[in-house]
Amino acid sequence: MSTAKIELRGVTHDFVTGEGQLFRALDNVGFSVSPGRFISLIGPSGCGKSTIFNAIAGLQTPSAGSIIIDGREVTGMIGLVGYMLQKDLLFPWRTVLDNVVLGMEIRGVKVREAREYARPFLARYGLGGFEDQYPAALSGGMRQRAALLRTLLFDSEIILLDEPFGALDAQTRARMQEWLLQIWSDFGKTVIFVTHDVEEAVYLSDEIYVMAARPGRIRARLDVPLARPRPRHITLEPAFARMKERCLALLDEEALTRGDAPPLGAQAPSAEPALAIEPPPPSAQRLSTPGLAA
Amino acid sequence: MNTPVTTSLAQTPLPVSAAKPLLQARAARRLPQERRWSTPVIVLAQCALLIGGVLAWELSARQGWIDSFFWSQPSKIQEVLMVFFTQGDAWIDISFTFRATLAGFIIGTTLGTLIGLSFWWSGNYAAIVQPFIVCFESIPKLALAPLIILVFGIGLPSKIAIGVALTVVVSALTTFAGVKSVDRDLERLMYALGASRWQVFCKLVVPSVLPWGISVLRVNIGLALTGSIVGEFISSQHGLGRAILYAGQTYEIALVWVAVLVLSTLSILMYVAVAHIERVLMKHVKR
């Protein structure tokens, strides 16, 4: 167990809803990630991906279970992992450079030194010439780059990426994925990635955890048997397609048992759960846990 | 040709042509557009209006259409203006009112901003104190002015105190609104990076609340001026407010106009200065 970079043990989280009922957001989630691995969590909305991230980042203490980083129990501790969301969360009154050094600044590095340290990284990773611009002047892709660099230069060995490219257009998104893989191999960080996009998950990850909702739990763990480095055209290969299909099948099955989505056809590659357009069949009741608001 | 629109929308196709007899023949017309005059023309029109108004005033006073005892007249006002500046206390009064206003403005705004920011530190403290602040806001502070004069005396401090009373609440409430609007996600991001509360306060709360604090400056300079004038009305030895009151009580209507004119000029100058400061600050603060 000591080889794992980060490990979750029996993480369970209950919310009290507005009506005073107990709602189980996470049920006994456990996994461990070896150093330098890239893993993805995929699953429908409400499967507790964000709760997992909040728990790892220390922003929310789970009701039960523990988070272990480098063999040390760190449940409820902040400042140990880099964290990045779909929103770039750049400070509008700081220049790109000053945004990127925020993590270092919080850790007590002098601003001047932090800037000198960060400058070459900006130049190297496609933000050269934009150091002194304000975020408002940047495109969505550029802003996400800046946000990711900030996360990286915070210098934690684990980074959590919560749908970082979700708001980008398809082309920018593809470029950002390659850019992320480049950075990941340069820095050798352990990455936990959340996405709705199955293709993205397969393209980027070493392992994929398929999650289920209500309560949020891990349904399956899949190894991605694709060699690295992965050129873009790998997405056209049969092995890739098979992997994608397996993920989709698992998600599809999950959506069907919950009964709030029509069967996904071959033409629907979205992991996004469909809207509840049919009332849930009685079988859905069977799956709900006792504590769940029915 | 009444079509039952409400029933069975899906089944029977609506006769689209049915509505046609209800419509009149199509009338095409041009987009209404005003031709804008150039700036010099506008300024010229403004000057003409002003000069015309003053001339009409002078003329009506001379012709006896209005009672010049109550309304005075521009030529007389100009005379008194000269006397006020050459022989009177003009500069003493201006300086007194100016100092009272500036001090009230700075102290009130700073204090209010600090109070507003302090609410960020504790939700409990904010919840306890907030009703009192709102209560204090709803009191007509000028009604307290006689009390303030009694406590602080008839000199400068009482004028400053009234200005502070007027501005402090506005600043505090506006800043508090700013504190409440601090982006929760940015706050979470900072905590995720391991920031302390002090770091979040300095690097996130203060910069995001600054535009709110700055936006209230123009309102506050006006309030501070009102405060010092009211203070001078009630009891004072100097100031433009006292000059107005004194002139009114002695029926020197021209002097009332002169003092009002000087006061307006002072007010406009301070407003313009603060608006300029605000613009400069905003440029540095908000992107």
Side-chain angles (χ1 to χ4, degrees), chain A residues 221-269:
Chain A
R221 176 185 168 284
L222 305 171
D223 273 309
V224 181
L226 300 171
R228 291 185 192 271
R230 296 177 185 165
R232 194 77 227 173
H233 59 75
I234 204 169
T235 55
L236 304 172
E237 284 176 13
F240 191 95
R242 270 200 303 281
M243 193 66 216
K244 207 171 135 185
E245 218 161 285
R246 270 181 75 193
C247 292
L248 285 172
L250 280 163
L251 288 169
D252 199 6
E253 211 176 299
E254 151 70 9
L256 275 178
T257 44
R258 279 193 304 143
D260 59 9
L264 287 167
Q267 89 291 4

Side-chain angles (χ1 to χ4, degrees), chain B residues 250-270:
Chain B
T250 54
Y251 296 100
E252 283 197 60
I253 307 304
L255 186 55
V256 172
W257 284 110
V258 164
V260 168
L261 204 67
V262 173
L263 184 61
S264 309
T265 313
L266 180 66
S267 163
I268 290 168
L269 288 180
M270 287 196 292

Side-chain angles (χ1 to χ4, degrees), chain B:
Chain B
M1 289 297 251
N2 279 337
T3 333
V5 185
T6 46
T7 54
S8 63
L9 206 69
Q11 277 79 35
T12 50
L14 285 175
V16 177
S17 57
K20 283 211 168 148
L22 300 174
L23 299 171
Q24 292 171 359
R26 200 181 295 273
R29 60 166 68 92
R30 288 190 187 285
L31 175 71
Q33 265 176 327
E34 186 191 8
R35 186 134 42 91
R36 294 302 302 267
W37 294 344
S38 62
T39 319
V41 179
I42 299 279
V43 172
L44 209 67
Q46 287 167 335
C47 290
L49 201 62
L50 187 68
I51 293 168
V54 172
L55 285 179
W57 184 3
E58 180 72 32
L59 186 70
S60 353
R62 289 197 181 180
Q63 296 292 325
W65 297 335
I66 59 170
D67 189 342
S68 64
F69 178 78
F70 287 118
W71 295 102
S72 192
Q73 63 196 72
S75 56
K76 183 102 180 294
I77 294 170
Q78 199 211 340
E79 257 170 54
V80 176
L81 184 72
M82 291 306 179
V83 175
F84 185 53
F85 273 94
T86 50
Q87 294 157 37
D89 285 344
W91 294 112
I92 297 173
D93 285 339
I94 292 173
S95 144
F96 187 85
T97 304
F98 177 69
R99 277 181 292 145
T101 304
L102 201 64
F105 168 72
I106 291 172
I107 297 172
T109 306
T110 312
L111 202 65
T113 306
L114 291 179
I115 292 172
L117 282 173
S118 74
F119 290 136
W120 180 78
W121 287 90
S122 160
N124 294 328
Y125 153 67
I128 291 168
V129 175
Q130 209 192 352
F132 293 100
I133 299 259
V134 173
C135 259
F136 187 65
E137 208 234 344
S138 59
I139 299 174
K141 263 82 58 187
L142 291 179
L144 296 174
L147 190 71
I148 294 178
I149 301 276
L150 279 181
V151 174
F152 289 92
I154 62 167
L156 201 60
S158 60
K159 318 300 177 285
I160 296 173
I162 298 172
V164 170
L166 284 175
T167 51
V168 72
V169 192
V170 180
S171 265
L173 287 178
T174 311
T175 316
F176 186 36
V179 163
K180 280 193 282 196
S181 78
V182 170
D183 192 332
R184 306 292 297 176
D185 286 334
L186 287 179
E187 206 176 323
R188 291 164 58 80
L189 172 84
M190 286 201 70
Y191 284 128
L193 295 174
S196 64
R197 294 207 79 196
W198 179 246
Q199 281 175 322
V200 174
F201 183 73
C202 294
K203 293 185 200 299
L204 174 63
V205 177
V206 172
S208 39
V209 167
L210 266 184
W212 295 73
I214 293 167
S215 72
V216 89
L217 293 183
R218 271 185 292 170
V219 178
N220 273 359
I221 193 77
L223 286 174
L225 185 65
T226 308
S228 41
I229 297 296
V230 169
E232 288 163 11
F233 273 176
I234 293 171
S235 182
S236 184
Q237 287 177 314
H238 304 290
L240 291 167
R242 193 207 69 105
I244 292 171
L245 192 75
Y246 169 79
Q249 283 166 345
T250 54
Y251 296 100
E252 283 197 60
I253 307 304
L255 186 55
V256 172
W257 284 110
V258 164
V260 168
L261 204 67
V262 173
L263 184 61
S264 309
T265 313
L266 180 66
S267 163
I268 290 168
L269 288 180
M270 287 196 292
Y271 184 87
V272 168
V274 168
H276 179 71
I277 293 172
E278 181 181 320
R279 242 194 336 273
V280 171
L281 286 177
M282 278 293 190
K283 211 158 71 185
H284 284 283
V285 161
K286 204 164 192 176
R287 289 288 159 177

Side-chain angles (χ1 to χ4, degrees), chain A residues 167-228:
Chain A
L168 301 176
D169 63 88
Q171 238 179 342
T172 314
R173 193 175 179 145
R175 250 182 299 129
M176 291 294 287
Q177 289 167 357
E178 280 162 46
W179 184 76
L180 173 63
L181 284 185
Q182 176 65 46
I183 277 198
W184 173 68
S185 68
D186 288 358
F187 282 78
K189 307 262 182 189
T190 306
V191 176
I192 305 180
F193 193 92
V194 157
T195 181
H196 271 128
D197 183 342
V198 173
E199 180 161 326
E200 183 172 69
V202 177
Y203 180 63
L204 295 173
S205 321
D206 295 320
E207 295 163 37
I208 296 175
Y209 288 88
V210 182
M211 298 194 61
R214 284 173 244 170
R217 62 205 185 276
I218 286 173
R219 190 181 166 83
R221 176 185 168 284
L222 305 171
D223 273 309
V224 181
L226 300 171
R228 291 185 192 271

Side-chain angles (χ1 to χ4, degrees), chain A residues 46-241:
Chain A
C47 69
K49 294 170 295 194
S50 297
T51 313
I52 292 182
F53 270 21
N54 284 338
I56 297 176
L59 296 171
Q60 223 167 41
T61 305
S63 317
S66 51
I67 290 135
I68 291 133
I69 292 178
D70 289 328
R72 199 158 63 93
E73 150 116 43
V74 295
T75 319
M77 309 274 265
I78 59 173
L80 293 168
V81 296
Y83 191 7
M84 177 180 165
L85 302 171
Q86 183 175 340
K87 273 167 79 182
D88 53 68
L89 295 179
L90 297 173
F91 288 47
W93 57 83
R94 283 174 167 242
T95 61
V96 171
L97 184 59
D98 284 355
N99 263 296
V100 167
V101 301
L102 179 74
M104 300 169 73
E105 218 181 300
I106 288 173
R107 292 184 62 179
V109 181
K110 286 213 179 66
V111 182
R112 190 187 300 263
E113 289 167 20
R115 282 186 190 141
E116 287 321 303
Y117 177 78
R119 238 174 236 286
F121 287 99
L122 286 163
R124 172 141 187 221
Y125 293 107
L127 287 166
F130 290 91
E131 293 91 342
D132 299 319
Q133 299 274 334
Y134 287 87
L138 267 58
S139 69
M142 292 285 225
R143 293 165 67 106
Q144 287 304 81
R145 277 172 201 237
L148 187 53
L149 267 183
R150 171 179 65 194
T151 313
L152 287 166
L153 294 187
F154 172 58
D155 199 33
S156 64
E157 286 163 359
I158 301 163
I159 57 177
L160 312 178
L161 305 175
D162 191 353
E163 287 189 65
F165 310 141
L168 301 176
D169 63 88
Q171 238 179 342
T172 314
R173 193 175 179 145
R175 250 182 299 129
M176 291 294 287
Q177 289 167 357
E178 280 162 46
W179 184 76
L180 173 63
L181 284 185
Q182 176 65 46
I183 277 198
W184 173 68
S185 68
D186 288 358
F187 282 78
K189 307 262 182 189
T190 306
V191 176
I192 305 180
F193 193 92
V194 157
T195 181
H196 271 128
D197 183 342
V198 173
E199 180 161 326
E200 183 172 69
V202 177
Y203 180 63
L204 295 173
S205 321
D206 295 320
E207 295 163 37
I208 296 175
Y209 288 88
V210 182
M211 298 194 61
R214 284 173 244 170
R217 62 205 185 276
I218 286 173
R219 190 181 166 83
R221 176 185 168 284
L222 305 171
D223 273 309
V224 181
L226 300 171
R228 291 185 192 271
R230 296 177 185 165
R232 194 77 227 173
H233 59 75
I234 204 169
T235 55
L236 304 172
E237 284 176 13
F240 191 95

